[in-house]
Amino acid sequence: KQEVTQIPAALSVPEGENLVLNCSFTDSAIYNLQWFRQDPGKGLTSLLLIQSSQREQTSGRLNASLDKSSGRSTLYIAASQPGDSATYLCAVPPPYGGATNKLIFGTGTLLAVQP
Amino acid sequence: KAGVTQTPRYLIKTRGQQVTLSCSPISGHRSVSWYQQTPGQGLQFLFEYFSETQRNKGNFPGRFSGRQFSNSRSEMNVSTLELGDSALYLCASTLQGNGGETQYFGPGTRLLVL
C-alpha cells in the first residue's frame, strides 16, 4: 500500500530565505507526482506536475525534483515571500498506473514566512 | 476559462439527514474526482467519474455515492449523516483523466454535521 509522508510538518522561516520541503513515498512505481498548495479553508492549487520519466520541473521560484529510486521528491522555494505561507501537499497516483486520478496525498507541510 | 466550481460552499446538517453536493468542472473536462479532507485523516479519495461512469472508488461506506451528468457536472450524496462526516469536500477535474494531467481543484464545500 502506497504511503506518502512529508517532512517537516511545519516550518517557519524569515522572508527571503531559500527552503526545501520533502516528500517521501514507499512504492517507487509511480506514474507521476504533483505538488499542491492549499491556503487556509480553501481548495488546492496545483504547483508542479512531474512525470515519472522526469527528474525535475521548474515554475518561477519553485523547483521540484523527483528521485523514484529513493522514493523522494523535494520542492525548493527560492527567495521566500510572506505570500508563500500556506500548506504544501504532495500527491501520487497508486503504483503501477491505472487509476491516475486517484491521488494519494501526503500529510502536508505548513509553511509560515515571516516578514 | 472559469475554474472548478462547487456549491454550496457551506452546509450545516444534523445527524441522520442526507446531503447533496455539486461540482461543475472546467469546461471541456470529462473527469471529476471527489475528496474528503479532515484534520485527522487528511485528504482521502472518494470516487472518480468519467463520461458518466464511476471509474475509481475509494474506501468509503456505501452512504457515500455520486453521479455524473452528460455535461460532466457531478454530484455526490451522503445519506444518514454522521458526526464524522464533517469535513471539507473537494472536487477536481481533468481533461481526459488518462494520466499525466494536472488536477484542478474547486474551493470545496465545508460540511458541518451537528
Side-chain angles (χ1 to χ4, degrees):
Chain A
K1 179 189 169 188
Q2 179 75 276
E3 292 183 0
V4 184
T5 306
Q6 291 185 245
I7 295 173
L11 182 63
S12 180
V13 300
E15 182 177 3
E17 193 162 298
N18 302 326
L19 56 99
V20 174
L21 307 181
N22 296 294
C23 171
S24 299
F25 43 93
T26 54
D27 194 318
S28 62
I30 60 170
Y31 192 80
N32 57 42
L33 183 144
Q34 292 187 60
W35 282 94
F36 294 90
R37 166 191 172 134
Q38 185 174 31
D39 292 284
K42 301 204 174 163
L44 278 63
T45 300
S46 179
L47 298 173
L48 290 164
L49 168 66
I50 311 177
Q51 303 294 348
S52 61
S53 58
Q54 298 174 314
R55 292 195 63 86
E56 66 178 73
Q57 279 282 355
T58 299
S59 177
R61 294 183 293 109
L62 305 179
N63 176 277
S65 67
L66 175 64
D67 184 345
K68 283 179 56 178
S69 61
S70 66
R72 296 178 63 181
S73 176
T74 60
L75 179 66
Y76 175 83
I77 303 177
S80 58
Q81 302 171 358
D84 295 331
S85 299
T87 297
Y88 290 80
L89 297 143
C90 63
V92 296
Y96 305 105
T100 52
N101 281 345
K102 185 178 177 179
L103 294 180
I104 301 166
F105 281 86
T107 44
T109 294
L110 177 61
L111 173 66
V113 181
Q114 308 299 331
Chain B
K1 237 181 207 182
V4 178
T5 58
Q6 291 188 244
T7 57
R9 294 293 312 277
Y10 304 93
L11 265 179
I12 300 176
K13 293 284 187 180
T14 56
R15 278 182 301 173
Q17 287 187 310
Q18 76 164 16
V19 66
T20 298
L21 312 180
S22 180
C23 172
S24 292
I26 291 172
S27 178
H29 284 197
R30 296 169 63 192
S31 168
V32 174
S33 299
W34 288 89
Y35 294 84
Q36 180 196 65
Q37 186 176 31
T38 60
Q41 300 297 319
L43 269 156
Q44 294 185 288
F45 174 83
L46 281 157
F47 28 65
E48 179 203 6
Y49 285 86
F50 180 80
S51 292
E52 302 179 63
T53 301
Q54 187 180 88
R55 187 157 68 174
N56 289 294
K57 190 176 188 308
N59 297 322
F60 279 81
R63 300 186 297 108
F64 292 81
S65 63
R67 59 178 175 168
Q68 187 180 34
F69 302 93
S70 59
N71 62 358
S72 293
R73 188 177 71 86
S74 177
E75 289 182 346
M76 67 163 282
N77 184 77
V78 188
S79 63
T80 318
L81 283 166
E82 301 177 358
L83 295 178
D85 297 333
S86 295
L88 180 66
Y89 290 88
L90 296 162
C91 78
S93 75
T94 57
L95 188 61
Q96 294 289 348
N98 59 1
E101 297 175 283
T102 297
Q103 288 203 19
Y104 295 90
F105 280 78
T109 293
R110 185 165 295 281
L111 172 65
L112 177 61
V113 182
L114 302 175

